[in-house]
């Protein structure tokens, strides 16, 4: 008998083939083979005249979706139909979640098999799991299919109904989404809080002390003055910058802090209290989708999408269980494997006395019912898995977190010592804190936020000398320290995922696509790890808040998710649900119809920014980006805002300066003595720039150069403008080949260039002043490769293979390069001290 097994990805095809007996043909659908039409050209001719055809959903007949096979999938369908002709049975082995179930159903609908069909599902791709699934096939779960289909229809209705309104009222190309808009709202709300924030300054004292007759120093911070608590950041109102309860705390300014330092230098210091507590800590639960995304972002800087992409590969290669899950449960097999790994790696002392399990299950019914963990009944050690780079890092993280769940508690000892300094009737209480790890327990394997548990253990401990009440201490140094209260932190991908999960917005499988979407659509930009909302995000969120508050209400969106879960469980009629959402008296269509005429496009484009001093200046978004406008002498003056300006960067001074440039852009700042052409200081979407000559029919693109980073328009005079317009400027001929070396500014900043070779100019040099000798020196420096690798030392040629061996450093740490093969250096090895003998041994070990 010949069986055709269809999975959704080519990688999964390769892995599953290894475990199936002869007679099984495995192929891939490459994801979904059909979907709602993505454009008008995909709509079949017979439906084009239907009023609902642009939606791809028949809203007049039970919300019947119009599914089409896109041109990119027609070859896949043809291939699968051909394979089906030679098969005696069809086995659908797509992922066991809503998307996977829907892919299987679509395959049934398109292929129309006339042979027996089985649904085969597994959460890990191991021989045991695959063969077990083959013995325990089932039918397609139509409740899961309906839940996926309902979500897809719901998102299409929200996007295709509200987005055209945004095009009309704000700008073409904008989009709204059922979950996307809530995520953007979170970013905008946080940015508003930051913009309203008023900082405050406060002071405290830091003492360096030692116990009398001992030499070891320790540090203590002032906490109370005459038994009244010293003010700290939490005591200030974020909107006013003033103390919330001024009578309950002591606020030190610089003068008071300085005077107190002078007074206490001659004080007597002694211990008045010692408090020692022990505390046991339990390991975190094993990973679910959201916590994996958060931790990978914190530790490695991976985006949510990157994390899911790498996890998908690990799953398909058979290294981990299914990566879309909100369950922290571990199977008996996993617990046994984890406990075996603990014993082998760390010994019996580190094994928790009993089985530790986590049975938290999130709201979603769509996901797998086990946590993300290494697959199989015996976990492959990370250094034996043959993985590299990001795959190794993520697998290592999952392995460590999983085995930590079965490890002993960490036992910590915390010591708080209060030391009083007394002088001239002033009692100042200082607190010193100590931390000791009595038993590391699971810390040996896993510390949240740290790549290296051993190093983290050392960094966690803070030792104090043994002290008892009444012990005298001596002052070594005393200084005052200023602090400034900080606004609420912007969201990172990790904290945004955490917020979405906490509020019940979206589900594990959607977080990565949500965050990618809001960046791709221009609602947020990433700076370092933080997500910064754009001017467009402010405009869209403000419009939705005023006219469609449900679309940005996390509670409303969370309730919709609950109903989708009820559909998956068979407890909610999907058609009734869609009727209420879209066509009810208070449904989306009715809201759009009634609100559209109430929205004034000019008002919708204006941004309501919570900033002071902007009276008379309006900030808006338009077809070509954000701009500012104000009325002067009865005329409206406008200026584009630079692309690199964020809403929180706006101030009245900056806007007035840009408007002044815009007003005076017809007036040149001088004349180029060589060409006789006027020189202008202008402002555009890419910020302020200088221009030589006017735009005419004959001279459509006059020479323009942006101001360098750090330059202010007010500092630009004719001499500086002419220096900028000289760029790229020739520095002279290179001593080796007489070819000209130039200095200029490009997309990635200032550079020098020679014969097509570019080298960035560091911040310590100026592109306007750099000379030939320095440029040649920079050009001779070894460049980092495109992968960010750098050579540390050349060990020479391998004694057996005659291939060059080099010690390198790259994005993921030091490694040796042997020909085309890269091998990571063992943990603890110093790259600079690595020898050829060690390299030969390592190359031999790695085969």
């Amino acid at each position: 008998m010949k069986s055709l097994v269809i999975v959704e990805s080519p990688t999964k095809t390769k892995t599953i083939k290894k475990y199936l007996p002869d007679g099984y043909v495995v192929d891939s659908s490459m994801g979904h083979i059909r979907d709602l039409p993505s454009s008008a050209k995909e709509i079949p001719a017979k439906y084009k005249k239907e009023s609902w055809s642009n939606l791809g959903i028949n809203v007049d007949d039970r919300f019947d979706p119009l599914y089409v096979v896109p041109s990119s999938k027609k070859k896949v369908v043809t291939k699968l139909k051909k394979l089906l002709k030679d098969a005696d049975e069809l086995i659908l082995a797509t992922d066991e979640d809503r998307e996977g179930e829907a892919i299987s159903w679509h395959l049934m609908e398109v292929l129309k098999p006339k042979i027996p069909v089985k649904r085969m599902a597994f959460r890990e791709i191991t021989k045991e799991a695959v063969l077990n699934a083959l013995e325990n096939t089932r039918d397609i779960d139509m409740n899961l299919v309906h839940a996926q289909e309902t979500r897809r229809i719901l998102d299409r209705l929200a996007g295709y109904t509200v987005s055209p309104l945004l095009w009309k009222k704000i700008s073409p190309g904008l989009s709204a989404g059922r979950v996307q808009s809530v995520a953007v709202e979170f970013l905008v709300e946080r940015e508003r809080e930051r913009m309203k924030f008023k900082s405050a300054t406060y002071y405290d004292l830091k003492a360096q002390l030692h116990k009398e007759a001992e030499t070891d120093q320790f540090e203590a911070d002032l906490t109370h003055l005459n038994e009244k608590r010293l003010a700290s950041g939490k005591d200030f109102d974020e909107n006013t910058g003033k103390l919330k309860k001024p009578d309950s705390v002591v606020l030190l300014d610089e003068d008071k802090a300085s005077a107190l330092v002078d007074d206490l230098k001659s004080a007597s210091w002694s211990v008045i209290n010692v408090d020692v507590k022990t505390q046991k800590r339990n390991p975190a639960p094993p990973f679910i989708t959201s916590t994996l995304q958060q931790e990978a972002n914190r530790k490695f800087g991976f985006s949510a999408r990157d994390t899911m992409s790498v996890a998908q590969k690990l799953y398909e290669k058979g290294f981990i269980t299914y990566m879309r899950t909100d369950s922290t449960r571990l199977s008996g097999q996993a617990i046994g494997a984890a406990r075996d790994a603990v014993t082998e790696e760390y010994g019996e002392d580190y094994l928790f006395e009993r089985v530790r399990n986590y049975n938290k299950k999130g709201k979603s019914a769509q996901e797998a019912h086990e946590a993300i963990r290494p697959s199989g009944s015996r976990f492959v050690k990370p250094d034996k898995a043959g993985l590299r780079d990001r795959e190794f890092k993520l697998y290592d993280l999952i392995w460590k977190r999983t085995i930590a769940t079965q490890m002993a508690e960490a036992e910590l000892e915390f010591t708080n010592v209060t030391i009083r300094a007394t002088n001239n009737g002033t009692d100042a209480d200082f607190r010193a804190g100590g931390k000791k790890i009595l038993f590391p327990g699971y810390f040996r394997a896993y510390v949240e936020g740290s790549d290296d548990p051993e190093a983290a253990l050392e960094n966690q401990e803070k030792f104090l000398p043994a002290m008892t009440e009444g012990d005298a201490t001596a002052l070594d140094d005393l200084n005052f320290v200023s602090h400034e209260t900080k606004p609420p932190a912007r969201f990172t991908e990790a904290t945004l995922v955490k917020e979405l999960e906490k509020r019940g917005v979206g589900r594990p499988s959607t977080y990565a696509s949500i965050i990618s979407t809001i960046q791709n659509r221009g609602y947020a930009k990433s700076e370092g790890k933080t997500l910064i909302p754009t001017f467009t995000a402010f405009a869209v969120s403000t419009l939705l808040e005023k006219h469609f508050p449900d679309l940005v209400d996390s509670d409303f969106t969370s309730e919709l998710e609950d109903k989708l879960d009820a559909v998956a469980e068979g407890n909610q009629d999907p058609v009734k649900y869609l009727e209420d959402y879209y066509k009810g008296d208070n449904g989306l269509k009715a809201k759009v119809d009634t609100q559209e005429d109430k929205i004034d496009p000019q008002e919708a484009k204006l941004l309501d920014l919570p900033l002071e001093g902007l009276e008379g200046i309006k900030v808006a978004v338009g077809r070509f980006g954000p701009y500012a406008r104000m009325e002067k002498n009865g005329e409206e003056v406008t200026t584009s805002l630079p692309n690199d300006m964020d809403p929180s960067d706006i101030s009245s001074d900056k806007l007035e300066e840009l408007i002044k440039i815009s007003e005076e852009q017809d007036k040149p700042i001088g004349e180029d003595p060589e060409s006789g052409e006027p020189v202008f200081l202008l402002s555009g979407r890419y910020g302020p720039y200088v221009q030589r000559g006017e735009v005419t029919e004959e001279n459509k693109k006059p020479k323009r150069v942006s101001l360098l980073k750090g330059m202010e328009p007010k500092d630009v005079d004719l001499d500086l403008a002419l220096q900028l317009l000289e760029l790229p400027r020739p520095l002279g001929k290179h001593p080796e080949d007489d070819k000209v070396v130039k200095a200029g500014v490009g997309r990635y900043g200032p550079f020098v260039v020679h014969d097509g070779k570019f080298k960035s100019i560091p911040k310590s040099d100026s592109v306007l002043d750099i000379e030939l000798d320095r440029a040649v020196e920079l050009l001779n420096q070894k460049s980092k490769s495109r992968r960010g690798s750098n050579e540390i030392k050349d060990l020479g040629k391998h004694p057996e293979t005659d291939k060059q061996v080099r010690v390198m450093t790259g994005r993921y740490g030091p490694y040796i390069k042997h020909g085309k093969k890269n091998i990571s250096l063992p943990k603890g090895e110093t790259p600079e001290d690595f020898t050829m003998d060690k390299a030969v041994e390592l190359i031999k070990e790695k085969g």
Side-chain angles (χ1 to χ4, degrees):
M1 188 163 113
K2 196 172 183 181
S3 302
L4 173 62
V5 181
I6 302 179
V7 297
E8 64 272 80
S9 83
T11 307
K12 197 173 175 183
T13 301
K14 292 175 187 173
T15 311
I16 198 174
K17 267 182 183 174
K18 298 185 297 186
Y19 305 131
L20 290 172
D22 293 338
Y24 286 84
V25 175
V26 188
D27 214 312
S28 164
S29 69
M30 307 288 286
H32 280 277
I33 57 167
R34 67 174 188 170
D35 194 7
L36 301 174
S38 61
S39 62
K41 68 180 181 182
E42 285 191 352
I43 300 171
K46 67 178 181 178
Y47 296 110
K48 283 187 182 290
K49 291 183 181 179
E50 298 289 347
S51 59
W52 48 266
S53 64
N54 67 314
L55 281 173
I57 300 159
N58 188 347
V59 293
D60 300 321
D61 184 10
R62 296 181 58 80
F63 291 86
D64 190 31
L66 172 61
Y67 288 120
V68 296
V69 177
S71 56
S72 62
K73 289 299 175 73
K74 286 181 178 174
K75 284 185 180 178
V76 176
V77 171
T78 301
K79 182 184 179 186
L80 293 176
K81 283 183 175 179
K82 187 177 178 182
L83 290 171
L84 192 62
K85 287 179 181 177
D86 297 329
D88 300 307
E89 69 172 357
L90 173 63
I91 299 175
L92 302 168
T94 52
D95 291 340
E96 190 180 22
D97 63 2
R98 296 179 195 179
E99 289 297 325
E101 211 70 20
I103 290 171
S104 284
W105 177 72
H106 283 297
L107 285 165
M108 285 279 291
E109 292 289 299
V110 173
L111 300 179
K112 302 188 186 312
K114 295 176 181 175
I115 55 176
V117 179
K118 298 174 182 176
R119 174 76 170 103
M120 170 182 167
F122 39 82
R123 299 188 185 100
E124 57 182 327
I125 308 178
T126 61
K127 185 173 184 178
E128 183 183 357
V130 169
L131 294 180
N132 183 57
L134 196 57
E135 290 294 318
N136 296 280
T137 56
R138 59 171 173 79
D139 294 330
I140 289 174
D141 186 334
M142 288 309 297
N143 287 331
L144 290 183
V145 173
H146 291 149
Q148 187 277 339
E149 184 174 69
T150 306
R151 178 189 288 279
R152 186 73 185 91
I153 292 171
L154 196 66
D155 290 342
R156 172 62 66 97
L157 292 173
Y160 276 45
T161 304
V162 181
S163 296
L165 186 68
L166 299 180
W167 305 342
K168 295 177 192 174
K169 305 299 182 180
I170 298 179
S171 181
L174 296 180
S175 69
R178 184 181 60 85
V179 178
Q180 161 199 319
S181 296
V182 180
V184 172
E185 177 74 4
F186 288 167
L187 299 183
V188 169
E189 270 300 305
R190 179 62 56 85
E191 201 70 6
R192 285 174 180 154
E193 290 172 15
R194 289 173 57 84
M195 293 163 85
K196 289 177 187 173
F197 180 82
K198 296 287 188 298
S199 67
T201 303
Y202 61 96
Y203 287 77
D204 61 17
L205 272 58
K206 195 174 287 291
Q208 295 289 335
L209 302 162
H210 69 269
K211 188 178 170 185
E212 286 197 352
E214 294 185 13
T215 56
D216 289 346
Q217 277 191 345
F218 61 93
E219 199 172 78
D221 299 309
L222 178 65
T223 60
H224 290 75
L225 200 58
N226 294 325
E227 299 191 350
K228 199 170 186 180
R229 187 171 61 81
L230 208 65
S232 61
K234 65 183 180 183
D235 297 306
F236 293 89
D237 187 289
E238 294 181 346
N239 296 317
T240 64
K242 295 179 180 178
L243 286 171
K244 298 173 189 173
K245 297 178 180 178
D247 295 334
S248 64
V249 291
V250 177
L251 177 63
L252 293 181
D253 58 22
E254 186 173 357
D255 291 339
K256 289 177 183 175
S258 179
L260 188 59
V261 167
D262 292 338
D263 186 37
L264 295 180
K265 280 184 177 177
S266 55
S268 59
W269 297 70
S270 62
V271 177
I272 64 167
N273 185 56
V274 178
D275 182 31
V276 181
K277 290 180 181 175
T278 59
Q279 186 183 102
K280 288 187 176 181
R281 288 191 183 168
N282 285 304
F287 282 125
I288 59 175
T289 304
S290 60
T291 53
L292 179 63
Q293 290 173 4
Q294 291 167 46
E295 189 73 338
N297 182 259
R298 279 195 296 262
K299 285 191 174 182
F300 313 134
F302 290 1
S303 69
R305 184 174 284 281
D306 284 345
T307 299
M308 294 311 289
S309 174
V310 176
Q312 180 87 35
K313 289 174 185 171
L314 290 173
Y315 164 67
E316 290 174 349
K317 289 178 179 180
F319 284 104
I320 64 170
T321 53
Y322 194 54
M323 65 286 155
R324 292 188 179 92
T325 177
D326 60 354
S327 171
T328 55
R329 190 186 74 84
L330 287 173
S331 67
Q333 179 195 63
I335 290 170
R339 293 179 73 82
D340 288 345
V342 173
T343 306
E344 290 172 18
E345 194 73 14
Y346 302 107
E348 291 283 347
D349 289 347
Y350 282 86
L351 189 66
F352 192 51
E353 59 194 20
R354 61 181 182 277
V355 166
R356 189 190 279 118
N357 208 340
Y358 303 82
N359 293 311
K360 175 185 173 290
K361 180 73 172 70
K363 287 183 175 183
S364 170
Q366 92 180 76
E367 318 300 355
H369 304 299
E370 191 180 0
I372 303 169
R373 58 150 177 108
S375 59
S377 56
R378 184 172 179 81
F379 297 162
V380 178
K381 282 188 65 175
D383 59 358
K384 303 293 184 187
L387 298 168
R388 294 191 55 210
D389 299 336
R390 295 196 304 179
E391 288 184 10
F392 172 82
K393 285 193 165 206
L394 200 65
Y395 179 69
D396 185 57
L397 187 69
I398 294 166
W399 185 87
K400 286 175 177 173
R401 176 106 161 200
T402 306
I403 71 162
T405 65
Q406 301 307 311
M407 291 180 73
E409 300 159 319
E411 190 171 354
L412 311 174
E413 180 183 273
F414 294 93
T415 303
N416 283 312
V417 179
T418 305
I419 297 154
R420 177 165 290 174
T422 303
N423 193 41
N424 297 327
T426 299
D427 288 336
D429 291 349
F430 288 74
R431 179 167 294 169
K435 180 181 177 183
K436 189 187 297 183
I437 298 175
L438 302 177
F439 180 66
Y442 72 90
F443 282 174
R444 282 289 306 279
Y446 184 82
V447 178
E448 255 187 312
S450 170
D451 283 343
D452 185 348
E454 292 296 337
L457 289 179
E458 292 175 17
N459 295 336
Q460 279 195 38
E461 293 195 294
K462 185 179 179 183
F463 295 103
L464 290 176
M467 287 183 273
T468 58
E469 191 174 327
D471 282 350
T473 56
L475 178 68
D476 293 319
D477 195 15
L478 183 63
N479 294 291
F480 62 83
V481 183
S482 71
H483 304 274
E484 195 169 90
T485 55
K486 303 292 182 189
R490 285 186 172 117
F491 283 105
T492 63
E493 287 203 16
T495 55
L496 183 56
V497 165
K498 190 174 183 178
E499 189 72 10
L500 290 168
E501 183 184 41
K502 185 177 90 173
R503 305 274 199 103
V505 175
R507 286 297 183 257
S509 58
T510 65
Y511 298 140
S513 62
I514 292 167
I515 292 172
S516 294
T517 298
I518 64 178
Q519 292 181 79
N520 294 340
R521 300 281 168 82
Y523 291 123
K525 69 177 188 179
S526 179
E527 192 172 280
K529 286 188 178 182
T530 60
L531 294 169
I532 305 173
T534 61
F535 290 98
T536 304
F538 273 79
V540 170
S541 282
T542 301
L543 184 148
L544 296 178
E545 287 163 2
K546 287 181 179 177
H547 300 281
F548 307 99
D550 284 349
L551 273 180
V552 288
D553 182 351
S554 60
D555 290 338
F556 179 79
T557 306
S558 178
E559 287 170 12
L560 293 183
E561 295 286 1
D562 291 341
K563 289 180 180 177
L564 283 171
D565 294 343
V567 172
E569 292 160 0
N571 298 324
Q572 169 75 50
D573 178 2
V575 175
K576 173 72 168 59
Y577 170 41
L578 291 168
E579 286 277 356
D580 292 342
Y581 175 78
Y582 187 71
K583 297 180 77 174
D585 293 339
N586 198 33
L588 184 63
K589 188 175 186 305
K591 287 176 185 173
V592 171
D593 290 344
T594 56
Q595 292 294 315
E596 184 168 355
D597 292 338
K598 297 178 182 179
I599 303 172
D600 178 357
Q602 294 308 312
E603 186 182 316
K605 290 182 173 70
L606 288 176
L607 304 186
D608 183 18
L609 300 176
L611 293 166
E612 293 179 1
L614 296 186
E615 296 79 10
I617 304 177
K618 303 289 185 186
V619 179
V621 294
R623 194 183 193 102
F624 304 107
Y627 64 93
R629 70 174 192 238
M630 70 180 295
E631 201 169 287
K632 267 195 169 184
N633 304 320
E635 291 186 9
E636 187 175 80
V637 183
T638 64
T639 181
S640 294
L641 299 184
N643 282 357
D644 61 355
M645 180 179 272
D646 300 321
S648 57
D649 293 335
I650 286 180
S651 68
S652 56
D653 290 344
K654 284 184 181 178
L655 292 184
E656 284 171 3
E657 186 173 32
L658 290 172
I659 287 171
K660 184 180 178 184
I661 295 172
S662 182
E663 273 186 296
E664 297 178 353
Q665 61 185 4
D666 292 335
K667 304 172 189 174
I669 59 174
E671 189 177 278
D672 183 350
E674 290 189 16
S675 67
E677 291 179 295
V679 176
F680 300 93
L681 174 61
L682 306 172
S683 182
R685 291 174 63 193
Y686 301 101
Y689 61 95
V690 291
Q691 175 179 301
R692 180 168 52 215
E694 298 184 70
V695 179
T696 62
E697 274 300 316
E698 297 76 29
N699 187 24
K700 292 183 179 179
K701 291 186 177 180
K703 179 72 180 283
R704 293 172 177 170
V705 179
S706 294
L707 300 196
L708 301 180
K709 196 169 183 178
M711 282 185 178
E712 296 291 337
K714 65 180 186 304
D715 300 327
V716 179
D717 56 16
L718 179 62
D719 287 342
L720 182 55
L722 291 173
Q723 285 186 68
L724 290 169
L725 288 164
E726 189 186 349
L727 299 175
R729 65 187 182 92
L731 303 180
K733 294 181 178 179
H734 197 287
E736 293 178 7
D737 59 11
D738 277 351
K739 291 183 179 178
V740 175
V741 178
K742 293 182 180 181
V745 179
R747 183 179 177 187
Y748 302 107
F751 63 84
V752 288
V753 59
H754 162 251
D755 195 23
K757 179 183 178 181
F758 288 80
K759 190 73 182 178
S760 293
I761 297 175
K763 291 179 182 177
S764 54
D765 294 285
S766 166
V767 68
L768 301 178
D769 303 325
I770 195 167
E771 296 180 352
L772 179 62
D773 289 350
R774 174 61 174 153
V776 171
E777 182 186 340
L778 291 173
L779 289 162
N780 286 338
Q781 290 176 1
K782 288 186 178 178
S783 297
K784 288 185 178 180
S785 76
R786 290 175 65 187
R787 292 176 179 267
S789 296
N790 232 349
E791 183 180 304
I792 296 175
K793 64 191 291 192
D794 188 339
L795 299 179
K797 291 188 175 180
H798 192 287
E800 295 174 17
T801 67
D802 208 35
K803 292 178 181 176
Q804 206 71 24
V805 180
R806 296 181 176 88
V807 182
M808 311 287 289
T809 181
R811 184 177 178 188
Y812 302 106
Y815 62 95
I816 59 169
K817 189 172 189 67
H818 173 231
K820 293 183 178 180
K821 189 174 181 67
N822 297 336
I823 304 171
S824 295
L825 256 63
K827 197 171 178 180
E829 287 285 356
T830 305
E832 291 78 10
D833 299 335
F834 208 67
T835 63
M836 176 62 87
D837 289 343
K838 288 183 178 179
V840 170
E841 188 180 329
L842 183 61
I843 291 164
K844 186 177 180 182
E845 181 189 326
K846 297 295 181 182

